Structures are given as structure tokens and as C-alpha cells.
Amino acid sequence: MIAAILTGCSSTADVEPVQSTDAGQEELESGKVPLTVWAEEADFDLLSEMTASFQEHYAGQAEFEITLVAQSDSGMSNVILGDIHNAGDVFSFPDDQFSRLMAAGVLEPVGNADEVSSANVAESIAAASYQDTLYAFPYTADNGYFLYYDKDYFTTEDVKTLDGILRVAEAAGKQISMELNSGWYLYAFFGQTGLAFGINGDGVTNYCSWNSTEGAIKGTDVAQSILDFTASPAFSCNSDTDFISRVQDGSIIAGVSGTWNATQIKDEWGEDYGAVKLPTFTCAGKQVQMASFTGYKMMGVNAYSAHKDWALKLADWLTNEENQSLRFAKKNQVPSNINAAASDAAAQIPAVQAILDQSHYGNLQRVGAKYWDACTEFANIMIAGNPNNMDLQELMDNLAKGITASTAE
């Protein structure tokens, strides 16, 4: 598992405190400082470059032995919680694992929180915080979705509303794609309506008022909007793979997806490739902005690390503006750093700006397991046009009941 050891000097001098040149840090260890970074193996070349520059920057202050260990981001929390004391000093993880790691006391609070907070988009800081304390260093802001569209068909005005998009697609005999029977995308119709949804304090079950009969927008209003959408001959429900296939065969001219498809979309549509935040949709007689789930990746520091101060320095370095820009240049991963995301290079990629614009209407994915199947069952009925003519309130009641069900059910 250990892929690389990046060593400064081979001295085995004892660790001892010395004065640091960094503001706000009274002292840091000198001598030999071993640090282990757990991350995706696919990032090793990039991380090796980053850790080399870290050692160069802090040359003379300590003798670093930085080891990269392959560990998938998706399973990071499970491995760490299996043996906290032997986990990496620094580790990469997606924001949906934050609560679990924080609650277990694994994450060391960020010392320079004000500096990190001002450098990164607010949503990424919220994802890495608990009760106003920052516990991790964000470094990407690209796990979300937005609208791709073919400029050969749509104007910038057309793509502002779902009605406008459907009108153009219907007239052209083409379709737009959205994987509506995935709870990941179905959320788009609910997240900005004022109807409540989220995970309970137990971290397992959900609360949900999507079936509400009160307020400016009721649950049945949203259900009717979804039915109106799926009734259009321009609507098409596709997986990511099918979305790309149908872009390639010319039948799809717009679709809801994420940055992972940007290269293939650009290859097909060329100069006509466009990407913007999600449109508004008609609901209860008004235009409502479509929402999205948002997601971020971050670096955490093990609270049980024997070298926490240097581990914090390393995590900060791996996620700073320069290295987020480097990650974007080499991996096309959208930075959470404000300056890096606003660079000329990032501005030239529509998908980057679209995901950042949409993040203002997004919410963190914090859901219990019962959410997903309930959403799929509901959406499949909507996609079929409610073939049994069920009362819309009954449909919404069933959806809310499924989402809030006990995990024992």
C-alpha cells in the first residue's frame, strides 16, 4: 500500500521544538518528522509534486519523511474508524463523510481557520465545519450538477427557464435529459421550494415535509410541476452513460449532469458546448429556481497524529491556492479556492463556472439511506405519467413516509 516515501535528510536526530517563522505558530518540531498521507493512488504523481514543494518551502525547519498510502476516498471513513491510532496523519475524503469523522473525534480543528475560510467558497467551508469550528481543508467544489446545452439550438435566454428549454426541444423534435428517478437529481425540484428535508440528529433517519399542505408552495404543487415536465415529449430519463450516447447520436440537445462529462460533451458539441446553472421551473404559478446537491472534497488531519502541527501545515499546503490551481490544470478538478476558481484558465471552461454558479442554489447531501429508494419509486410513477391516476396528495404522503421510514422497516 505504501507507494512512495519522499525523504529530506536521512538524519535520525531527535525531535525538538524550534521557533517557527510562520505567524500564529509558536513552535514546530525540528529533526525527523514522519508524516503519512492517505489518498487516491491516481493522485500520487500530483501529490508527490506537492509534497516536494512543501519540503522545499520548509527546508531547514525539519527533516520530513512523507509517505503516500493508497486509500480510496469513498471508503476513507470506514478504514480510519477501524483503527484511528494507526490512520494517516493527513487524509483526503468527500464531505458526506465529514459528520461521521468529526463525531468520532478524528478531525483536528484547523488552526488558521480564518485564513482558510476567506480563501475558499463559503459552501465548502460550511461543509467542513461544525458549530462554527473548521475541521478540514476544502480543495475541490465539483461534486454537483448543472445544465449542459447545445448553443446551436438554444439562446442564453432559452436556458433560463425549464419552459423555454422544453419549448425549443419540442420544436426541434429533440430531447433533454435528466435522470429523474435518482434521488440525487429529483432533489432539484424540491430544494428551493421551502419544503423541509434533511437528516435527523441520529445521523440515520430523515425528516421530510415534501407532502406539506400549507405554505406558498405545497407538495402537490411540486408533484404537478414534475408531471408537467415528464409529460413533455422532449423529456428523457437517462443514466450518465445513456446521456452521453444520446448526445453523440444527436437526439439529446441539453441535459442535467456534472463536470465528469464535460470533456465528452465538448468533444461532441465543440464551439456550441454550453453550460449554465439549472433553470427555473413553473410551480404554483411562479418561477422557482431548481436546486442541487453539492459536494466537496477536503483534507483532514488526524487528531491522534504524533505530529499534528506539521500535519496541519502539510494539509494546508496541499489545499492552498497554488496547489488547487495545479490540481485543476492536471486533473480538471474544480477548485474550492476562490482565486483559483476565478483564474483565466477556469473561466474558459463553461462547466467550471456553471458548477460554481449553481452552488449558490445547492445544499450539502446529508441524507439517510431510506431517501434513495423512496425517491426512485415516486419518480418512476411520475415518469410513467401517474398511470393509476393516484391522488397527488397520496403520492406525496407515500413519498414522505418512505423517506422518513425507520431503518428497521
Side-chain angles (χ1 to χ4, degrees), residues 129-145:
S129 300
Y130 177 73
Q131 294 186 346
D132 298 324
T133 298
L134 184 64
Y135 284 93
F137 300 81
Y139 70 87
T140 72
D142 55 5
N143 192 21
Y145 45 93

Side-chain angles (χ1 to χ4, degrees), residues 298-331:
M298 53 195 71
M299 292 283 181
V301 170
N302 193 335
Y304 295 91
S305 169
H307 310 282
K308 282 190 295 188
D309 289 339
W310 275 119
L312 286 165
K313 291 289 183 186
L314 178 57
D316 190 26
W317 185 266
L318 296 176
T319 58
N320 65 17
E321 178 183 342
E322 180 181 357
N323 282 319
Q324 286 198 37
S325 296
L326 182 64
R327 185 179 290 274
F328 172 69
K330 295 200 170 185
K331 305 281 289 187

Side-chain angles (χ1 to χ4, degrees), residues 71 75 80 108 111 129 194 204 207 247 256 262 296 311 317 348 387 391 404:
Q71 184 57 248
I80 289 174
E108 179 70 12
S129 300
V204 177
Y207 61 87
V247 165
V256 178
Y296 307 88
W317 185 266
Q348 294 175 14
D391 179 75
T404 59

Side-chain angles (χ1 to χ4, degrees), residues 125-356:
I125 296 301
S129 300
Y130 177 73
Q131 294 186 346
D132 298 324
T133 298
L134 184 64
Y135 284 93
F137 300 81
Y139 70 87
T140 72
D142 55 5
N143 192 21
Y145 45 93
F146 48 88
L147 180 76
Y148 286 105
Y149 69 99
D150 187 341
K151 294 180 182 178
D152 191 40
Y153 292 90
F154 300 97
T155 67
T156 55
E157 192 65 27
D158 292 330
V159 297
K160 290 181 179 179
T161 67
L162 186 58
D163 292 337
I165 296 167
L166 290 171
R167 183 172 57 251
V168 170
E170 287 173 1
K174 302 290 185 178
Q175 291 189 304
I176 68 172
S177 177
M178 184 175 185
E179 193 178 357
L180 193 64
N181 57 2
S182 164
W184 172 252
Y185 295 105
L186 179 67
Y187 179 79
F189 283 96
F190 292 94
Q192 290 286 321
T193 61
L195 300 173
F197 164 73
I199 194 165
N200 289 316
D202 60 12
V204 177
T205 58
N206 303 303
Y207 61 87
C208 180
S209 70
W210 288 1
N211 62 331
S212 176
T213 60
E214 301 177 353
I217 296 178
K218 303 174 179 60
T220 53
D221 294 328
V222 181
Q224 187 60 59
S225 295
I226 295 172
L227 276 176
D228 293 342
F229 176 44
T230 60
S232 169
F235 165 75
S236 181
C237 181
N238 299 283
S239 66
D240 260 351
T241 300
D242 289 340
F243 168 48
I244 294 300
S245 296
R246 298 197 58 203
V247 165
Q248 292 169 338
D249 70 23
S251 58
I252 293 288
I253 58 174
V256 178
S257 190
T259 55
W260 50 88
N261 280 326
T263 299
Q264 290 175 288
I265 294 291
K266 184 178 180 181
D267 287 345
E268 290 303 314
W269 289 342
E271 294 182 357
D272 289 326
Y273 144 58
V276 291
K277 72 171 181 64
L278 295 176
T280 61
F281 69 102
T282 301
C283 187
K286 56 178 71 71
Q287 288 297 305
V288 177
Q289 173 62 49
M290 295 184 84
S292 62
F293 278 130
T294 57
Y296 307 88
K297 283 191 177 182
M298 53 195 71
M299 292 283 181
V301 170
N302 193 335
Y304 295 91
S305 169
H307 310 282
K308 282 190 295 188
D309 289 339
W310 275 119
L312 286 165
K313 291 289 183 186
L314 178 57
D316 190 26
W317 185 266
L318 296 176
T319 58
N320 65 17
E321 178 183 342
E322 180 181 357
N323 282 319
Q324 286 198 37
S325 296
L326 182 64
R327 185 179 290 274
F328 172 69
K330 295 200 170 185
K331 305 281 289 187
N332 283 322
Q333 294 180 334
V334 180
S336 60
N337 181 276
I338 296 169
N339 291 338
S343 68
D344 290 342
Q348 294 175 14
I349 301 179
V352 172
Q353 298 311 308
I355 194 70
L356 294 173

